[in-house]
Amino acid sequence: MKQNYLSSRLDQPAQRLIAGIADWCRRKNTKDLNKATHRLPMQQFLEEEQPALRPNLPSAYGGLAMLTGPVSIDKNRIITYKTNGYSVPPAYRFKAVYYRIASGVMSVFSDEQGTLLIRQHQVAPPEVKYKTFIHPDDMRMPSLKWMKVKDTLLRRYPSPNMLHFLNGVCKENPHYREPQLSAILAWLDKQQPESVFLDSVLTRCCETFSYKVSQFQAIYSGLQKECSIHDELYADDGMQPSFITMPNGVGVQVRGSDAYQDLFQKKVQQTAMGGV
């Protein structure tokens, strides 16, 4: 530096001399051969000298850096440092923590003295902006409450089609399995349906791929109205419908024309009485 760089540039201002040092070192180390070794200094360093170097010893002053904090942690469990976010363990949500930046590492502590280390992150390079870094141990685990609700439904309302229906609900609503299953359980606890009727509802749901609570409730209410009309039709004379089996295996109810005529007359009378 003294004999080669500065000695030939004494007429230049100090700021220009300082700015040109980096380019001069780059030229000397990567472009010009050394007169003693006849090799590029940077090539010799990378091939021979660097592998023999030992890692730097930890600084005696690294642990004396002042802690930053207290930093309040919200529900997202993120510490913001230079536009980037770094996660902390879930147990420290809505609590205050402290952190220290040293040697490119963020160390997060739960106490002001810096003795209880709870998390460490590598600090992102300066060119990385507005990124969030989540430690693998801080990732949110999926809830398994839906499994208990599913077992309760299978145990409390056994039905041949219940398992098929519940599997469809879980597959159709992967992010809302527990709320959907809980709503179905609450509906059935309130209605207390018979096993035969419930199985007919579940069969209709599976055939029409209706795996949401609203669809299940609509089919349940619709079949309930159909059953009430059927009961009303045969309540007076105790007449039971006959069934025939179609070639495709589907059973069809067969009623006489008098049954529909009687039901029509009954509805007309009810309407007239209501108008009076």
Side-chain angles (χ1 to χ4, degrees), residues 14-273:
Q15 296 298 329
R16 185 174 180 181
L17 289 175
I18 295 174
I21 290 177
D23 292 336
W24 179 82
C25 290
R26 191 177 300 107
R27 292 194 304 271
K28 288 295 183 181
N29 292 327
T30 60
K31 295 182 179 181
D32 298 336
L33 295 176
N34 186 277
K35 295 180 180 179
T37 62
H38 301 285
R39 298 178 61 184
L40 293 176
M42 182 57 66
Q43 181 182 3
Q44 182 180 1
F45 170 75
L46 294 176
E47 294 178 355
E48 300 179 6
E49 298 176 359
Q50 189 177 36
L53 293 176
R54 292 180 297 179
N56 293 332
L57 295 175
S59 173
Y61 301 95
L64 299 180
M66 296 295 294
L67 291 177
T68 302
V71 178
S72 298
I73 304 299
D74 59 6
K75 63 179 181 180
N76 297 321
R77 303 180 286 106
I78 297 297
I79 294 178
T80 302
Y81 176 72
K82 292 186 176 180
T83 73
N84 294 317
Y86 302 89
S87 67
V88 299
Y92 294 90
R93 185 187 287 112
F94 303 113
K95 295 183 180 180
V97 298
Y98 303 81
Y99 70 90
R100 175 193 298 134
I101 306 296
S103 302
V105 177
M106 169 185 282
S107 300
V108 185
F109 303 89
S110 62
D111 60 330
E112 187 176 1
Q113 293 73 28
T115 58
L116 300 177
L117 179 66
I118 59 175
R119 183 65 67 234
Q120 281 188 320
H121 291 277
Q122 291 289 334
V123 178
E127 61 271 14
V128 178
K129 300 291 185 181
Y130 305 105
K131 298 292 184 180
T132 301
F133 300 93
I134 306 296
H135 194 276
D137 295 339
D138 298 338
M139 293 183 178
R140 182 178 299 175
M141 299 301 294
S143 176
L144 300 178
K145 293 182 180 179
W146 64 273
M147 298 181 66
K148 296 182 179 179
V149 182
K150 181 179 178 181
D151 293 340
T152 302
L153 280 166
L154 292 173
R155 183 178 64 256
R156 190 174 300 176
Y157 300 100
S159 175
N161 291 290
M162 178 61 78
L163 181 60
H164 183 186
F165 173 70
L166 296 182
N167 289 336
V169 172
C170 295
K171 187 175 181 180
E172 185 74 16
N173 311 277
H175 300 293
Y176 302 97
R177 287 176 292 193
E178 194 272 333
Q180 291 279 325
L181 295 177
S182 298
I184 294 172
L185 179 60
W187 174 269
L188 294 179
D189 288 343
K190 181 179 179 180
Q191 300 293 330
Q192 292 296 323
E194 296 182 358
S195 299
V196 178
F197 175 74
L198 177 59
D199 189 62
S200 64
V201 174
L202 299 179
T203 301
R204 183 74 62 85
C205 291
C206 295
E207 291 175 350
T208 58
F209 302 99
S210 303
Y211 297 119
K212 295 184 180 297
V213 176
S214 57
Q215 297 170 343
F216 168 76
Q217 293 176 350
I219 292 176
Y220 190 103
S221 301
L223 290 180
Q224 206 172 33
K225 291 181 180 178
E226 291 182 10
C227 293
S228 63
I229 293 176
H230 176 272
D231 296 339
E232 184 179 2
L233 182 62
Y234 301 103
D236 296 336
D237 53 7
M239 181 179 173
Q240 295 296 328
S242 60
F243 293 86
I244 61 173
T245 303
M246 303 298 292
N248 58 1
V250 178
V252 180
Q253 294 183 6
V254 179
R255 303 183 181 93
S257 59
D258 295 339
Y260 293 100
Q261 182 66 26
D262 294 341
L263 179 62
F264 176 75
Q265 294 295 338
K266 185 176 180 180
K267 291 294 184 182
V268 171
Q269 294 176 3
Q270 290 179 354
T271 304
M273 292 177 63

Side-chain angles (χ1 to χ4, degrees), residues 1-22 24-25 27-28:
M1 287 292 296
K2 293 180 180 179
Q3 298 178 1
N4 296 296
Y5 180 74
L6 295 177
S7 62
S8 59
R9 296 173 176 81
L10 296 178
D11 56 335
Q12 298 180 8
Q15 296 298 329
R16 185 174 180 181
L17 289 175
I18 295 174
I21 290 177
W24 179 82
C25 290
R27 292 194 304 271
K28 288 295 183 181

